[in-house]
Amino acid sequence: MAAAEAAVVSSSLIIDTAPVSEIAGTTAATAAAAVVAAAARTGAEPKVSKAAMATKLLSLSGVFAVHKPKGPTSAELLNRLKEKLLAEAGMPSPEWTKRKKQTLKIGHGGTLDSAARGVLVVGIGRGTKMLTSMLSGSKRYIAIGELGKATDTLDSTGKVTEEKPYDKITQEDIEGILQKFTGNIMQVPPLYSALKKDGQRLSTLMKRGEVVEAKPARPVTVYSISLQKFQPPFFTLDVECGGGFYIRSLVSDIGKELSSCASVLELTRTKQGPFTLEEHALPEDKWTIDDIAQSLQHCSSLLPADLALKKSKPEESNEQVLSCEYITLNETKGDDVIKTF
């Protein structure tokens, strides 16, 4: 796996960490816990300062997962997450000037189409450096395909380009060809994808009406594929694959193999690496600093030892900028993208 492109755009935000820095030798989490404990003894409502929450946010580091719904792009969802966390921490604020500045980094490893839902792995702090491993790792999907209808995007969001009969296709027909799409195979990626030509996404060029040639077939891996349900014209697949694999291309190719055509109606990523949708993906109402801190602690045991975060040296500079960096690393093998904000 190689990074084809990296682009960085930074915008600075300022936070005040002075009140928390007066608590020598304590972490933001310890300070916040002390406030809650003191409030419990007096019967008062616990009040954690925005500065304490900001410092706790900046102390978060690792990899966790969120539940991406249908609709937003992966980048839009990450922006929403970032904005919720910054708002909870009260950043930025006009009175936070001429104070210490620190850096917040947050990104995702592996793009999900806007029409898809499921697990989106997120890195925060030094965890953003671990995201490249998420691209090449295994992923699992539940895909609902529709026979007899082809679209330009290979899914339900596109324009119908072809319709063919499917009434003679049986469950046995589908099961009989799945072996052809298992193992190390060659696959042609969709024209509507994040793959680039002359520095621009193919999907962007297609939307402009420009003529785009299909990328050549390249090697991909399918670990397992099974037919879960068949109710013509719909069929449901359970697919586990490696990085750079396109479910949309798979469904389209299955339609062609059956002497018909097909497109993706619904797509759900149920697993990415060790993170599962049911057990690890945080819904939006859990996108809080405390919930993410707990998730990071829980998920740290899921990662290989060689990816474990090492303790970093204390920051020595008083002029560290809280920057929302935007970094794009395109995997040459597919349209998986790491984005760091």
Side-chain angles (χ1 to χ4, degrees):
M1 177 173 61
E5 178 180 328
V8 181
V9 179
S10 298
S11 59
S12 298
L13 303 176
I14 302 173
I15 78 159
D16 181 4
T17 59
V20 178
S21 64
E22 295 172 0
I23 307 175
T26 64
T27 65
T30 304
V35 172
V36 174
R41 289 194 297 270
T42 61
E45 288 293 326
K47 294 182 179 179
V48 181
S49 71
K50 290 294 186 181
M53 294 304 293
T55 301
K56 184 174 182 179
L57 171 60
L58 293 170
S59 72
L60 299 180
S61 198
V63 179
F64 62 103
V66 298
H67 182 179
K68 178 198 169 301
K70 292 174 63 175
T73 65
S74 298
E76 290 169 346
L77 191 78
L78 198 64
N79 266 324
R80 187 189 301 174
L81 170 62
K82 177 194 68 178
E83 290 169 359
K84 287 175 72 74
L85 294 177
L86 292 177
E88 182 184 357
M91 302 190 292
S93 181
E95 64 269 19
W96 288 344
T97 56
K98 299 180 181 179
R99 298 288 189 176
K100 285 185 178 181
K101 304 171 187 178
Q102 294 184 350
T103 300
L104 172 68
K105 289 184 178 180
I106 186 168
H108 73 75
T111 300
L112 265 178
D113 293 337
S114 59
R117 59 180 289 268
V119 178
L120 185 68
V121 174
V122 176
I124 190 167
R126 286 171 291 133
T128 56
K129 297 180 180 179
M130 303 160 65
L131 292 175
T132 49
S133 65
M134 296 295 107
L135 294 178
S136 57
S138 67
K139 305 173 181 67
R140 194 163 189 168
Y141 298 88
I142 296 295
I144 299 178
E146 182 178 5
L147 290 168
K149 184 184 296 183
T151 69
D152 54 0
T153 60
L154 307 187
D155 64 15
S156 59
T157 66
K159 297 179 181 179
V160 176
T161 57
E162 186 178 23
E163 293 185 87
K164 286 187 174 182
Y166 60 85
D167 54 296
K168 293 183 179 181
I169 297 175
T170 66
Q171 179 171 328
E172 290 72 22
D173 291 333
I174 298 178
E175 291 174 335
I177 66 168
L178 293 184
Q179 187 61 37
K180 295 183 179 180
F181 301 98
T182 305
N184 297 318
I185 63 173
M186 299 296 290
Q187 185 186 66
V188 177
L191 289 176
Y192 278 87
S193 70
L195 296 179
K196 293 189 174 183
K197 175 185 178 182
D198 299 329
Q200 296 190 65
R201 287 190 174 194
L202 296 183
S203 57
T204 301
L205 298 176
M206 290 287 292
K207 290 175 183 177
R208 290 178 185 168
E210 299 185 24
V211 177
V212 177
E213 293 183 2
K215 290 285 186 178
R218 67 271 178 83
V220 292
T221 302
V222 179
Y223 301 110
S224 65
I225 179 172
S226 62
L227 179 65
Q228 300 295 300
K229 184 178 180 180
F230 181 52
Q231 187 174 353
F234 308 112
F235 60 99
T236 303
L237 300 174
D238 184 344
V239 183
E240 185 174 4
C241 57
F245 184 80
Y246 290 88
I247 299 295
R248 287 179 291 145
S249 291
L250 169 68
V251 170
S252 176
D253 291 342
I254 286 176
K256 294 174 182 177
E257 188 69 25
L258 294 168
S259 300
S260 182
C261 55
S263 56
V264 173
L265 184 65
E266 292 186 17
L267 180 62
T268 302
R269 181 192 283 164
T270 59
K271 186 178 180 182
Q272 182 174 1
F275 302 98
T276 64
L277 180 59
E278 291 186 359
E279 186 176 356
H280 306 110
L282 295 176
E284 189 164 355
D285 61 355
K286 295 289 186 180
W287 293 358
T288 68
I289 295 172
D290 286 338
D291 284 321
I292 290 174
Q294 292 178 14
S295 182
L296 288 170
Q297 184 176 8
H298 174 63
C299 292
S300 62
S301 62
L302 303 175
L303 301 172
D306 58 344
L307 289 179
L309 290 171
K310 297 180 181 180
K311 291 185 178 180
S312 60
K313 296 180 179 179
E315 301 290 357
E316 299 178 353
S317 172
N318 290 334
E319 294 300 326
Q320 298 164 333
V321 178
L322 173 60
S323 60
C324 296
E325 296 181 342
Y326 179 86
I327 305 171
T328 302
L329 300 176
N330 282 349
E331 184 187 13
T332 56
K333 190 176 180 181
D335 71 340
D336 287 332
V337 177
I338 299 176
K339 290 195 175 177
T340 305
F341 294 80

